[in-house]
Amino acid sequence: MSVVTWLETDRLLLRPSRISDARALLAILGDEASRPHTFNLASLREARRYIAANECHRRKLGYGLWIVTEKSSGQIVGFGGLYDDPFDVLWGPEIAYHFTTDVRGEGYATELTLYALNTAREMNLAEVSAFAHPDNAASRRVLEKAGFIQERFIAGMNRHLYVRQLSA
């Protein structure tokens, strides 16, 4: 049995995902009504597949999305961080964040994004990308606060591509 290393921000605990997190992940990434601007998982099976693919990439690359737990409550409230999307590998290192509706607006996405950028710097990555739907003003603000620059609109994804340079 492997030892889980928890990472910490001021208010969050981060750890790699496990197949047993599939229900919690589905509750976050399967809530289509509260997530109109991004993809949604349709089933527990899809959630397990998503976890397995992301953890496979973590083993290959040394980084991947984290399960996000709120320190104050001990509850899983999100999923995100630095990763290469295993289902769309074209874009390289990306930042992503997904949170439960009850903690949105608390600044957790910004906190997670800044932590993930530090991780990218420690790994000597030159740049990181992220995507935001044109109608998702909150997500665009998170990226802009973290120093991302809107590069262009990707029509096929209906998303703006944001890029954050990390090297001097």
Side-chain angles (χ1 to χ4, degrees):
M1 183 171 189
S2 65
V3 175
V4 174
T5 302
W6 289 84
L7 305 172
E8 291 188 49
T9 69
D10 288 341
R11 300 175 297 157
L12 305 171
L13 294 170
L14 314 171
R15 66 162 169 80
S17 56
R18 302 181 288 245
I19 295 299
S20 61
D21 294 319
R23 285 196 191 285
L25 185 61
L26 183 60
I28 297 166
L29 298 182
D31 186 2
E32 194 170 336
S34 75
R35 297 169 35 86
H37 306 302
T38 191
F39 81 98
N40 291 280
L41 298 175
S43 68
L44 196 54
R45 182 174 188 236
E46 244 183 65
R48 288 181 184 119
R49 180 175 175 255
Y50 194 75
I51 288 169
N54 278 290
E55 289 308 310
C56 180
H57 261 221
R58 179 189 313 280
R59 287 187 297 278
K60 287 180 195 172
L61 303 170
Y63 58 90
L65 297 176
W66 298 297
I67 289 292
V68 181
T69 301
E70 188 178 48
K71 282 183 183 178
S72 63
S73 70
Q75 297 297 309
I76 293 174
V77 295
F79 188 63
L82 175 67
Y83 80 126
D84 277 28
D85 187 338
F87 300 100
D88 193 2
V89 296
L90 171 68
W91 303 103
E94 295 179 43
I95 301 282
Y97 39 82
H98 310 281
F99 287 91
T100 58
T101 56
D102 58 325
V103 300
R104 290 185 195 154
E106 297 291 326
Y108 290 163
T110 300
E111 191 170 326
L112 178 64
T113 298
L114 293 174
Y115 188 89
L117 286 171
N118 284 334
T119 300
R121 279 187 201 92
E122 289 170 4
M123 299 192 79
N124 295 314
L125 298 177
E127 73 176 28
V128 177
S129 61
F131 297 91
H133 189 279
D135 295 335
N136 193 341
S139 189
R140 291 192 332 266
R141 275 193 307 275
V142 166
L143 296 173
E144 290 163 2
K145 280 193 282 186
F148 282 82
I149 304 297
Q150 184 179 313
E151 189 172 277
R152 67 183 188 275
F153 183 72
I154 311 293
M157 296 173 69
N158 194 26
R159 302 275 183 283
H160 290 289
L161 168 64
Y162 286 77
V163 175
R164 176 69 157 81
Q165 298 296 320
L166 299 173
S167 59

